Amino acid sequence: MAEAEGLADWMSKLNETFTTVPLCYIAIPGSHDAMAYSLDMDSPLLEPDSLITMDLICCGCCRSIVKNWSITQDKTISEQLDAGMRYFDLRVAGKPGSSDFFFYHGLYTTITVKEAMEEVDTWLGKHSKEVVILAFSHFKEMSTEQHTKLMTFLKDHFKAKLCPDDGMPSLKDCWDKAYQVILSYDDRNRKQDRVLWPGIKYWWANNSDPNEAILFLDNKKQSGRPKGFFVAGLNLTFYGCSIFSNLTASLKEKTVTAYPLLLDWVKKQRPGSDTQSINIIAGDFFDVNSFAQDIIQLNDAKTN
């Protein structure tokens, strides 16, 4: 079913078996730090803490290094959707002196939340049977009033496309009611809003070694899958010592080198309701290989 090309409408082409099961029981490709393709070199550092003071003292000397290790995607959000991504890890920050909201990963993005969500909404209008999971989390520099403003914007923007948190829907449930957006908002300001889903569990190895990341994920699987949506993160994490010993390298270089091992792990997984199953698998720089295709094909494998 899923070829390397033509993944823009993969949900509509799924085996009928998977259109009637809860969405948390199908394999879904996801984008870790989905907006970290448009980082702004002119913005102040937001992280890591160890470099913020140094960057201020050195008049921005650390920003190019941080950018090399903070860019996680090469594609715009529309291009990611075209390539099959359906889960998006979205980290938002307020920006001093601006009324807009931005994404961030080390640095602020150039693209605003409003611009990105307009892009998503336009894309969904052309792909009526595709459902996306927008996971907002890791908020920075945001007051209660700003949270209220952001939540109001998101609800007003997607309107009838929003699937309420009234139990886990299937694709068919979403199609029948024209729902296309699962909106997760991982903050206490969410309260009990019906159209805002709670935070989604993300299994993060917090390690730069792909072997250790795989071991971590396998150990998590032994404990059983969480209830509802959950993410197995294949993203590698590098900190100060590793970065400063590889100043001419980048996160992309390290990730691409690790992908053969990571994709071998992906191909052994299965979606479903059993305790060892997976749901969302998220990663960085997915476009350099068959990441999305391999995850989507897990749904076919389960029917064999």
Side-chain angles (χ1 to χ4, degrees):
M1 178 271 299
E3 299 178 355
E5 300 294 333
L7 298 181
D9 295 288
W10 69 264
M11 285 182 160
S12 69
K13 300 173 184 176
L14 271 183
N15 183 297
E16 187 176 356
T17 302
F18 286 92
T19 67
T20 57
V21 301
L23 282 171
C24 61
Y25 294 162
I26 68 174
I28 298 173
S31 176
H32 166 253
D33 265 307
M35 303 307 298
Y37 59 83
S38 67
L39 299 180
D40 183 3
M41 278 285 291
D42 293 327
S43 85
L45 287 188
L46 281 89
E47 56 184 3
D49 291 341
S50 58
L51 294 182
I52 291 175
T53 301
M54 185 186 301
D55 187 69
L56 290 171
I57 294 172
C58 299
C59 301
C61 66
C62 297
R63 294 177 199 176
S64 60
I65 298 170
V66 170
K67 185 175 181 180
N68 276 344
W69 290 91
S70 297
I71 293 174
T72 55
Q73 308 298 340
D74 288 328
K75 302 291 188 182
T76 68
I77 196 163
S78 292
E79 291 170 336
Q80 292 181 45
L81 286 159
D82 283 338
M85 295 296 107
R86 294 296 177 268
Y87 165 89
F88 296 90
D89 169 29
L90 304 170
R91 307 181 184 206
V92 176
K95 192 173 186 180
S98 174
S99 60
D100 291 322
F101 296 106
F102 293 82
F103 304 98
Y104 75 93
H105 191 218
L107 299 158
Y108 285 102
T109 58
T110 56
I111 191 172
T112 66
V113 171
K114 182 177 185 291
E115 291 167 338
M117 294 304 99
E118 286 174 347
E119 202 172 325
V120 171
D121 194 44
T122 297
W123 189 93
L124 290 172
K126 300 173 183 176
H127 303 270
S128 61
K129 299 186 82 172
E130 300 302 299
V131 177
V132 300
I133 303 166
L134 305 178
F136 286 81
S137 67
H138 295 78
F139 300 97
K140 276 185 179 289
E141 307 293 334
M142 287 183 59
S143 64
T144 298
E145 291 74 20
Q146 287 174 304
H147 276 289
T148 300
K149 179 181 176 182
L150 177 57
M151 289 186 285
T152 299
F153 163 74
L154 293 169
K155 290 186 290 184
D156 289 346
H157 185 71
F158 290 111
K159 296 185 174 71
K161 287 187 176 77
L162 290 173
C163 177
D165 182 13
D166 291 338
M168 183 62 63
S170 66
L171 275 174
K172 188 176 184 304
D173 293 333
C174 291
W175 294 343
D176 289 346
K177 296 182 179 179
Y179 295 149
Q180 288 188 271
V181 179
I182 305 283
L183 182 57
S184 164
Y185 201 92
D186 190 8
D187 189 86
R188 59 184 176 80
N189 288 283
R190 177 186 68 89
K191 299 179 180 176
Q192 295 299 317
D193 196 304
R194 184 167 170 264
V195 296
L196 297 179
W197 292 59
I200 294 172
K201 186 71 175 179
Y202 195 111
W203 289 349
W204 172 46
N206 192 18
N207 204 295
S208 62
D209 185 338
N211 289 288
E212 291 297 323
I214 288 170
L215 179 62
F216 170 83
L217 293 175
D218 283 337
N219 286 338
K220 295 296 287 186
K221 286 177 63 181
Q222 292 300 317
S223 301
R225 56 167 292 148
K227 182 180 179 181
F229 292 118
F230 74 102
V231 183
L234 292 184
N235 48 292
L236 304 179
T237 303
F238 294 82
Y239 289 103
C241 292
S242 297
I243 292 172
F244 280 109
S245 63
N246 292 275
L247 288 179
T248 60
S250 67
L251 178 60
K252 182 173 184 177
E253 178 185 320
K254 297 295 185 181
T255 300
V256 170
T257 301
Y259 253 130
L261 185 62
L262 297 174
L263 290 183
D264 281 345
W265 180 85
V266 168
K267 293 169 185 176
K268 297 173 185 175
Q269 307 311 305
R270 293 292 180 269
S273 59
D274 65 83
T275 58
Q276 295 293 301
S277 64
I278 54 83
N279 177 208
I280 301 162
I281 301 177
D284 299 330
F285 303 108
F286 65 87
D287 56 301
V288 301
N289 51 46
S290 58
F291 178 84
Q293 180 187 6
D294 290 345
I295 294 169
I296 295 166
Q297 285 183 336
L298 296 177
N299 297 309
D300 288 337
K302 189 172 186 294
T303 63
N304 293 339

